[in-house]
Amino acid sequence: MKVKSAVKLGTVATFAAVILAACGSSSNSSSEASKQTLNWMEASALPSMDSATATDVVSGETLNNTGEGLLRFGKNSSVHPGVAKSYKVSKDGKTYTFNLRKSNWSNGDKVTAKDFVYAWQRTVNPKTASQYAYMYAPVKNANEIMTSKKPVSSLGVKAVGDYKVVVTLTQATDYFPSLAASPMFFPQNKTVVQKYGKKYATNAQNNVYNGPFKLTYWTGTSDNWTLSKNSKYWNAKNVKLKKINFKTMKDPQTSLSQYQSGKLDATYLSGQQPKNYKNDKQYVERKGASTFYIELNQRKDTMMKNKKARQALSLAINRKQFVDKVLADGSSQAKGLVSTGLMSYKGKDFNTASAVPEATSQDLTKAKKLWKEALKETGRSSYDLTLTADDTPAAKNTLEFVQSQWSKLDNIKVTNQSLPFKTRLSRSENGQFQAVVSGWGADYPDAISFLEMFTKTNSYNRGKWVNASYDKDIAAADGKDANNEAARWTDLVDAQKTLLKDQGVIPLYQQGRSQLVKSNVKGVIYFPTGANWDFSKAYIAK
């Protein structure tokens, strides 16, 4: 498809990379080498290191630095050779032939074509219960395998010898190279997976790595984890960092204090901090291709199934006040589920084409009217609602603000529930919530990366919102219109309009993150989409 997909997110020119600071030549002196340790702050702990089942940004970031797929994301919206040194595409766009370089796992085993076949089959196997399996939809027979209609062995990927992978797609898919560079398409070492069984990837030791770094400390529950340079990586000679220490810091003031004392090389800012440091030379603002939204559990609750109730809850929220006065970190009001700047066609941004203003704006008078009608229609005089979110500073701010907005409605009692990231994920997956603050970042620069989540059978549709017209449009965009530029654009635009008009979810804001980064930290690459960070070219300057 020829839809223009360059990400225009603030100063981010493309989806692939933004360099923190200009890369320069680094000294090879032993004294500098001994200082090649980066201390990095994260707001949430690492939940998973199984590329088949991981779902969150922190896991994706860590996998992206400890693993490598057939291709690897690069700058200027490109993908470049990873484990595959080259590849060819058939004239009809349905067959990709990847020629692998000779490379190794961190335990010395060879990385072969069979490792990709095994990993891909394991991910689409219904027994694995991978929430990301739907990303394999373009690969031949993937959908049939996921619904147990065909055997796993029929997946359109095969090994030709040790160093050639042939992938057959159901139809030409222009963004497939971006999928091949994503963590959920990384290889896995079958011997290691089977050796550890259920304990595979649950700590640093029960895994092997084929990327620039290897995970050398992580208990599976620890708030801190460590990456060390992987000497077995095929391009290890160009990896300068010796170690990366990740520290989970939930209190922004504690994190800032550690940054100021030299214990951290980077820290995220929140609250009043961005305003205080906006003119600092070490201040950096990130615009991400990620949207935060509230998902309402429509499985059994008649109130959450009521369209007027959902619309009332959305109309009660003043998003501009929230991003300007509460977050104040570069985030912006959400215009839809899809992030603004992700995708455009004939010069028009996707959110401009699919705008439904009343789904993302405030009208308290209308909200109160709709809420009163919803109570009456569901036979209620009042309603108790629990809003769940993570226990990060931004999430807690979101809970408090939304609670204050919803409390302006009549006959509603709103209770906030703040949970550790892993716990919140688990409860979301199991439908154990009434309303939950969720976030999604695009894995590649296409609106389908967001919209596909809310089809009827998608595992990420945790509130179980269902709309036949929506599903039909998504199926057309992925199917009969996949290579019809204009028709596919219309399908996707209509799908978002349907989602917003029915208030299937309540979009809140498009994430912007403010950081302080030490001036001697060079070469770190930021991705607005996907796994966010690549440290393979980073180093600490003298």
Side-chain angles (χ1 to χ4, degrees), residues 471-488:
D471 288 356
K472 183 178 178 181
D473 284 331
I474 297 301
D478 268 345
K480 68 181 181 67
D481 296 335
N483 294 301
N484 184 327
E485 182 178 14
R488 185 173 187 272

Side-chain angles (χ1 to χ4, degrees), residues 143-199:
N143 287 328
E144 291 80 1
I145 294 167
M146 287 184 276
T147 54
S148 301
K149 294 177 181 177
K150 286 190 176 181
V152 172
S153 59
S154 68
L155 186 67
V157 57
K158 65 179 181 179
V160 180
D162 284 344
Y163 298 106
K164 184 174 290 186
V165 174
V166 179
V167 181
T168 304
L169 306 182
T170 301
Q171 59 206 5
T173 305
D174 282 358
Y175 59 80
F176 181 72
S178 293
L179 294 179
S182 302
M184 71 289 300
F185 285 79
F186 283 4
Q188 291 189 332
N189 188 311
K190 181 178 180 179
T191 300
V192 174
V193 176
Q194 293 183 338
K195 174 184 177 181
Y196 292 111
K198 292 183 179 180
K199 293 184 178 181

Side-chain angles (χ1 to χ4, degrees), residues 1-9 175 289 338-353 444-451 477 485 488-490 492-493:
M1 189 183 68
K2 296 179 180 178
V3 172
K4 185 178 180 183
S5 296
V7 176
K8 300 174 182 176
L9 302 168
Y175 59 80
V338 177
S339 59
T340 298
L342 181 72
M343 184 179 182
S344 63
Y345 175 57
K346 291 186 176 181
K348 180 175 285 190
D349 183 80
F350 183 81
N351 277 339
T352 301
Y444 47 92
D446 193 291
I448 198 73
S449 183
F450 281 96
L451 297 174
E485 182 178 14
R488 185 173 187 272
W489 173 262
T490 299
L492 296 174
V493 165

